[in-house]
Amino acid sequence: MRRLSRAEFESSSSDYDRAVAADPEIDAFCSRSAWILSFYDAFRPDAALHVAREGDAFVALAAQNEPQIGVVLQPLETMWGFASPLVGAGSCDLLRELLDDSATRVGRVPLLLSGIPLTRTRLEPLLRMLAERFALRPLAETVRFQASLDAGFDAWLARRKPGFRRNLRAARRRTREAGVRFESARPADAAATAAAYERVLAIERDTWKTRSGNGVDRGPMRDFYARMLPRLALRGELRVLFATRDSSDLGYLYGGVAGPLFRGLQFSFREAARELGLGNVLQAEMLERLCAEGIAVYDLGSQSEYKRRWAEPGLVTAGLLARPRS
């Protein structure tokens, strides 16, 4: 087992991402370095990293002091529970080594795991290993809603309910008649990414989310995306879509590509565009562009009611809380 510092993990991020891509049972986008390191740096930069590597297997955890609980060993991203901190077929054995390391004593604190594959070959060995020293409590499963695009846009649309198709056609017609146009962007360097993100933030400040105090234009959430987007852009994986009218930006949608999968990250629109149904039109416009690019899956993220209309339940992973036996 080789322990990695923050700098060493950063320098090994390409190897780590290749290991994520080679592990078909975990979240292909949110387990990657762009997601977990951006979250770590934005939300918990003072947490002690515990990253280990053995060949193509990785364990990426952080020891965070939680109020009223104490130190908890947990994934680098814990807000949504998408990322798996265990990457590769040998990651269970690697976790055992990490927990046995007497120099860190991390095996003596509560352990939180998320993004765990539900396949028998991955889950059962992990549970057996942890049960030797921890009392285990399962957490709620996390479901991603994913739209299959491998048969093209028309096939995706044909699977939607008639009312959905009718409303979407009407919204697209309204936007055309209102003079709205759509602009795709693939920033490929830091300067272009910063410029695109500034356009996004300018729109975000005039959205219902920001007006209700839930915007992503401030605090750690702003920092999270400000760190992630350049990482994606430098690898040619960032996709941005703007809705414009008369040279003014009305809405945006952006996300990242991981192989044949596109992960939607954020989208919104100015309040002045609400009557147009611009949010739905942005999604449809992005879907068409992804189909033309050959993307097979649009991952919309975790469960919410509107996502049921756009996609089907996809990858499901588990969470687990392990408390040391006294």
Side-chain angles (χ1 to χ4, degrees), residues 110-169:
L111 170 66
L112 173 67
L113 296 176
S114 63
I116 302 171
L118 290 173
T119 56
R120 184 175 181 179
T121 55
R122 294 289 287 273
L123 186 58
E124 289 190 358
L126 178 64
L127 294 178
R128 283 198 302 269
M129 184 273 287
L130 293 176
E132 296 172 1
R133 66 186 82 196
F134 293 101
L136 306 180
R137 179 164 70 88
L139 303 177
E141 294 178 349
T142 300
V143 181
R144 290 93 173 144
F145 275 73
Q146 298 176 324
S148 173
L149 307 180
D150 54 2
F153 182 81
D154 289 340
W156 167 83
L157 189 60
R159 296 195 301 272
R160 315 275 65 86
K161 293 182 178 180
F164 177 95
R165 297 197 300 268
R166 182 173 58 253
N167 292 337
L168 183 58
R169 285 195 297 268

Side-chain angles (χ1 to χ4, degrees), residues 57-69:
F58 288 82
V59 174
L61 295 163
Q64 175 78 10
N65 197 348
E66 300 289 354
Q68 301 179 342
I69 299 176

